[in-house]
Amino acid sequence: MKSPSARTIRLLLGALVAIVAFSIGYFRTAAERYTLTLHPTRAGMYRDGTFSAWGESIHGRIFATVVIARGRIASASITTCKMRYPCSMIAALPAQVVERQSAGVDAVTGATQSAEAFAIAIDRALEQAVRR
């Protein structure tokens, strides 16, 4: 039986190190991928009104509007979408904002950057609404 050369051993060790490094990074960030939460919120912490803000990503930006009534999020919407990809892929996210009463929305496969831009826009709009 022929023993492996030093070059083959180095290649195998390099591949093993790369796989381990990827796995560590993947598992460390996997929990963060499911929900895009920027700032935790409490019910009743907002003042009533309509608040809007931009959220940016590498693929463009989104202008979102949040309506607060009786200290709670009554509605959320995508007012302007200037993303590289269609915002129809994240059309379900405004309903999540109302349901969860926060900017914490699900990541969307194939539209991760759009979902992040929307979450940032909602978070910035909610920052304007916080009672001080």
Side-chain angles (χ1 to χ4, degrees), residues 19-39:
I19 290 169
V20 169
F22 172 79
S23 298
I24 290 170
Y26 177 80
F27 289 116
R28 186 180 60 212
T29 60
E32 298 169 12
R33 291 185 185 149
Y34 294 109
T35 302
L36 304 170
T37 303
L38 301 171
H39 294 99

Side-chain angles (χ1 to χ4, degrees), residues 42-49 66-75 98-101 126 131:
R42 298 182 323 270
M45 67 183 283
Y46 303 120
R47 57 191 167 98
D48 292 354
V66 178
V67 176
I68 307 294
R70 295 183 178 166
R72 295 181 49 83
I73 301 171
S75 69
V98 176
E99 178 185 324
R100 297 174 184 177
Q101 291 294 300
L126 291 174
R131 293 182 190 273

Side-chain angles (χ1 to χ4, degrees), residues 43-110:
M45 67 183 283
Y46 303 120
R47 57 191 167 98
D48 292 354
T50 302
F51 306 92
S52 300
W54 285 100
E56 300 85 18
S57 79
I58 60 171
H59 294 296
R61 55 195 188 136
I62 290 176
F63 192 69
T65 300
V66 178
V67 176
I68 307 294
R70 295 183 178 166
R72 295 181 49 83
I73 301 171
S75 69
S77 61
I78 299 170
T79 310
T80 304
C81 180
K82 296 187 179 251
M83 299 297 290
R84 178 185 296 178
Y85 304 105
C87 278
S88 60
M89 296 178 74
I90 60 167
L93 297 185
Q96 290 180 14
V97 171
V98 176
E99 178 185 324
R100 297 174 184 177
Q101 291 294 300
S102 77
V105 294
D106 292 340
V108 178
T109 302

